[in-house]
């Protein structure tokens, strides 16, 4: 559960009170696709039904006890609706106040009001989750790091994270067959980058992945200011620490919780560091010693564009030397806030006998067929790339540019069509590393899990010798 310690009237469905539990919608489909919840979790329809019953009875005029008794009787064969009814007169009073404020009889949140917890209760039973924030690490080229939002005293729990358990170390190895189409036979790192965020022990097949900002905490060897510790306050964690690993495997969801504890006083805005372990340190030193720059070239190899170089290209988008796709980068375009009048559809055909029949670009019904549209054919790699998702972006090629606008063609593999936009803005165009060609997929990219100290790792979980 998550609670807020401050009042806030921005961004929510209603004004939040300090100590109020936070809820978001998982969507009805989330529950419907999980049969184990069908008879235990109330959904929107149940809240709406309870609202309707209570409102109809309230209008007739009943005391609290009469109202609850009548509502329970009416919903006797509807347990999922009955369980969302308010339990006390005070809770009912809060709901009615909220209803009057919202003036919305159909607001399903009317009956979901939970009595706010006091700050004293939160301090006793809760764990603060906003002690850290993410920013660029003070370690060169380490990416993001975790920083203290306030002064923290020694022994403070900096952050707690549920850990997703992953079984079998081979899980982190990629199936190279899945990447053949986009890599065109290029060598990629066979180990997933996700391994760098897994916590484990050298003698165990168990991986544990944190699900919050704990994953941003970097390594500093002897200069650490924090350490790992099992969350013994969590009953499930305490239980499974005493159980064999086979019992933990039966749990379908994240079960273990790990704490990060301050080992000394930490000042506001200071970066948080833990020790990743001797195995990690040794692997890193070996990696540094054996590193060969991908920027060097030989007669057999061309210089590879780094991810940073491609990122910098986005600050100089009208440089025409970047517009043609290379071995390392390609272009994507955003279709946000566009209408049918903004583009022309061109169906790319394979038959050489089909001629292009150009129609006015301003015509929203404009359709044309071509075997070759400004160099784009049925075999263009853009169609292959369009089979993947790129964060709401669509693979595209720049056909021409002016001082402020681009003419681009967006690829759609399913229909073998392109959408031609004569006036796309720079903000809608982005240069990205090609799949499996970014720095993180380089064959030499570092891969190693973070070590959980032997002194806290359960011996019965050490199944590898």
């Amino acid at each position: 559960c998550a609670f807020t310690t401050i009042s806030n009237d921005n961004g929510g469905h209603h004004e939040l009170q300090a100590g109020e539990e936070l809820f978001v919608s998982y969507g009805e489909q989330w529950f419907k696709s999980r049969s184990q919840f069908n008879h235990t979790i109330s959904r929107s329809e149940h809240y709406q039904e309870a609202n309707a019953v209570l409102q109809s009875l309230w209008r007739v005029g009943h005391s609290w006890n009469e109202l609850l008794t009548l509502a329970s009787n009416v919903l006797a064969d509807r347990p999922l609706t009955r369980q969302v009814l308010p339990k006390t007169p005070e809770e009912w009073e809060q709901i009615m106040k909220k209803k009057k404020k919202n003036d919305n009889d159909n607001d399903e949140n009317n009956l979901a009001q939970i009595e706010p917890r006091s700050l004293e209760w939160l301090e006793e039973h809760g764990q603060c989750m906003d002690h850290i924030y993410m920013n660029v690490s003070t370690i060169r080229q380490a990416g993001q790091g975790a920083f203290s939002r306030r002064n923290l005293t020694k022994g403070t729990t900096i952050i707690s994270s549920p850990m997703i358990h992953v079984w079998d170390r081979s899980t982190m190895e990629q199936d190279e067959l899945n990447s053949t189409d986009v890599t065109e036979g290029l060598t990629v790192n066979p180990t997933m980058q996700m391994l760098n965020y897994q916590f484990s022990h050298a003698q165990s097949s168990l991986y544990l992945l944190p699900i919050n900002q704990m994953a941003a905490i970097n390594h500093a060897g002897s200069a650490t200011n924090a350490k790992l510790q099992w969350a013994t306050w969590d009953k499930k964690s305490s239980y499974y620490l005493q159980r064999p690993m086979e019992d933990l495997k039966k749990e379908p969801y994240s079960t273990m919780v790990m704490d990060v504890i301050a080992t000394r006083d930490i000042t506001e805005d200071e970066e948080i560091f833990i020790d990743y372990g001797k195995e990690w340190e040794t692997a890193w030193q070996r990696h540094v010693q054996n590193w060969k720059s991908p920027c060097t070239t030989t007669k057999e190899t061309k210089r590879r564009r780094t991810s940073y170089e491609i990122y910098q290209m986005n600050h100089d988008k009208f440089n025409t030397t970047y517009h043609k796709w290379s071995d390392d980068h390609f272009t994507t375009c955003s279709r946000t806030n566009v209408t049918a009048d903004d583009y022309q559809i061109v169906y790319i055909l394979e038959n050489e006998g089909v001629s292009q029949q150009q129609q006015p670009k301003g015509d929203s019904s404009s359709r044309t067929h071509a075997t070759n549209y400004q160099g784009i054919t049925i075999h263009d790699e853009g169609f292959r790339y369009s089979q993947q998702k790129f964060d709401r972006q669509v693979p595209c090629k720049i056909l021409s540019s002016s001082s402020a606008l681009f003419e681009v063609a967006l690829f759609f593999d399913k229909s073998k069509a392109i959408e031609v936009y004569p006036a796309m803005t720079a903000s809608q165009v982005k240069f990205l590393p090609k799949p499996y060609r970014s720095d993180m997929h380089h064959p030499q990219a570092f891969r190693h899990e973070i070590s959980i100290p032997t002194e806290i790792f359960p011996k019965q979980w050490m199944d590898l010798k």
Side-chain angles (χ1 to χ4, degrees):
C1 297
F3 294 82
T4 179
T5 59
I6 59 174
S7 297
N8 187 353
D9 60 357
N10 294 318
H13 290 285
H14 66 276
E15 182 176 343
L16 296 176
Q17 301 179 51
E20 184 176 342
E21 188 170 356
L22 305 179
F23 295 95
V24 296
S25 173
Y26 286 6
E28 296 293 290
Q29 191 58 40
W30 191 91
F31 294 100
K32 291 178 180 178
S33 63
R34 292 163 170 80
S35 59
Q36 65 269 35
F37 295 134
N38 288 345
H39 304 292
T40 59
I41 303 297
S42 301
R43 299 193 290 273
S44 296
E45 61 193 79
H46 305 112
Y47 281 90
Q48 292 167 3
E49 183 180 30
N51 271 333
V53 170
L54 287 174
Q55 294 303 327
S56 62
L57 294 174
W58 181 255
R59 291 190 182 97
V60 176
H62 294 285
S63 67
W64 158 252
N65 289 330
E66 291 175 330
L67 180 69
L68 184 59
T69 301
L70 287 170
S72 297
N73 291 336
V74 170
L75 299 171
D77 59 345
R78 304 281 290 170
L80 294 182
T81 301
R82 192 172 67 250
Q83 71 182 10
V84 303
L85 295 172
K87 304 301 186 294
T88 66
E90 292 75 20
E91 188 177 344
W92 171 250
E93 184 178 352
Q94 285 184 356
I95 291 172
M96 293 309 296
K97 286 181 179 179
K98 181 182 173 186
K99 177 190 175 300
K100 290 178 181 178
K101 181 177 180 180
N102 294 339
D103 193 28
N104 183 359
D105 290 346
N106 294 319
D107 183 5
E108 67 186 59
N109 293 313
N110 285 344
L111 299 179
Q113 182 75 25
I114 303 298
E115 182 179 357
R117 306 288 189 176
S118 67
L119 296 183
E120 292 74 21
W121 185 93
L122 292 177
E123 290 175 357
E124 180 181 355
H125 300 282
Q127 298 292 324
C128 182
M129 299 301 290
D130 78 334
H131 280 325
I132 63 175
Y133 65 92
M134 292 175 61
N135 205 343
V136 178
S137 175
T138 56
I139 300 177
R140 185 172 177 267
Q141 295 184 338
Q144 294 287 302
F147 294 79
S148 177
R149 195 182 297 277
R150 56 185 65 87
N151 293 333
L152 301 174
T153 59
K154 180 180 179 180
T156 298
T157 300
I158 300 172
I159 193 170
S160 301
S161 178
M163 310 289 279
I164 299 175
H165 42 255
V166 179
W167 306 103
D168 189 351
R169 288 177 170 254
S170 65
T171 305
M172 291 296 111
E173 300 301 317
Q174 296 183 107
D175 181 358
E176 294 188 8
L177 293 177
N178 291 336
S179 63
T180 300
D181 190 45
V182 291
T183 61
E184 298 177 344
L186 296 173
T187 303
V188 299
N189 196 311
T191 305
M192 294 184 184
Q193 187 191 28
M194 187 63 68
L195 179 64
N196 291 347
Y197 302 94
Q198 304 285 344
F199 288 72
S200 186
H201 190 279
Q203 296 180 15
S204 179
S205 61
L206 170 65
Y207 284 134
L208 294 166
L209 177 68
I211 63 174
N212 58 21
Q213 291 174 313
M214 177 180 165
I217 299 177
N218 287 316
H219 166 79
S222 59
T224 59
N225 51 18
K227 67 177 183 179
L228 298 175
Q229 177 178 294
W230 293 111
T232 53
W233 52 266
D234 179 69
K235 293 182 179 179
K236 265 192 155 183
S237 295
S238 295
Y239 174 77
Y240 281 105
L241 286 171
Q242 312 303 321
R243 304 298 300 168
M245 199 160 59
E246 287 68 25
D247 288 359
L248 183 60
K249 286 183 178 180
K250 297 175 183 177
E251 283 286 340
Y253 307 109
S254 56
T255 301
M256 304 305 296
V257 179
M258 184 74 78
D259 288 340
V260 177
I261 308 295
T263 55
R264 61 168 173 80
D265 291 348
I266 298 173
T267 59
E268 182 180 349
D269 295 323
E270 182 179 350
E271 186 166 5
I272 309 297
F273 294 107
I274 60 174
D275 185 357
Y276 283 6
K278 291 182 180 179
E279 292 90 352
W280 188 96
E281 183 69 37
T282 300
W284 175 254
Q285 294 301 330
R286 187 186 308 117
H287 168 76
V288 172
Q289 292 171 5
N290 298 331
W291 174 254
K292 295 180 181 179
S293 173
C295 297
T296 58
T297 59
T298 66
K299 292 182 179 180
E300 292 78 24
T301 62
K302 294 189 298 183
R303 193 183 79 81
R304 184 169 179 163
R305 275 196 174 104
T306 66
S307 295
Y308 180 75
E309 286 181 284
I310 297 173
Y311 170 79
Q312 289 296 109
M313 288 164 55
N314 287 290
H315 297 293
D316 188 19
K317 293 181 179 179
F318 288 95
N319 185 332
T320 56
T321 60
Y322 301 152
H323 293 180
K324 184 178 180 180
W325 290 16
S326 71
D327 290 340
D328 304 309
H329 89 283
F330 72 115
T331 318
T332 63
C333 295
S334 170
R335 303 171 77 224
T336 305
N337 300 324
V338 300
T339 66
D341 293 328
D342 297 328
Y343 61 87
Q344 171 195 18
I345 297 177
V346 181
Y347 293 96
I348 306 299
L349 305 178
E350 189 170 11
N351 296 332
E352 294 293 337
V354 179
S355 61
Q356 179 178 343
Q357 298 176 350
Q358 185 72 32
Q359 296 184 19
K361 292 184 178 181
D363 182 2
S364 61
S365 62
S366 177
R367 300 287 190 276
T368 188
H369 298 77
T371 57
N372 188 317
Y373 186 89
Q374 297 194 39
I376 298 175
T377 69
I378 196 73
H379 304 294
D380 198 291
E381 61 180 334
F383 291 116
R384 186 153 40 88
Y385 277 65
S386 69
Q387 298 170 8
Q388 302 183 60
K389 295 181 180 179
F390 301 98
D391 191 24
R392 300 183 182 180
Q393 300 281 116
V394 179
C396 65
K397 286 193 174 180
I398 298 173
L399 304 177
S400 64
S401 63
S402 63
S403 59
L405 297 171
F406 294 98
E407 180 187 15
V408 298
L410 280 65
F411 291 88
F412 297 90
D413 179 71
K414 189 174 182 180
S415 59
K416 288 296 186 290
I418 58 175
E419 291 179 357
V420 180
Y421 292 77
M424 188 161 278
T425 64
S427 63
Q428 295 174 285
V429 177
K430 183 184 292 186
F431 299 115
L432 293 175
K434 280 187 173 180
Y436 297 96
R437 292 290 290 177
S438 64
D439 292 350
M440 69 178 181
H441 290 108
H442 192 279
Q444 296 184 78
F446 182 71
R447 300 285 193 268
H448 203 280
E449 72 275 12
I450 300 167
S451 296
I452 298 175
T454 298
E455 56 267 26
I456 69 170
F457 198 86
K459 289 184 179 180
Q460 67 271 23
W461 293 2
M462 299 180 185
D463 58 336
L464 303 178
K465 302 300 180 182

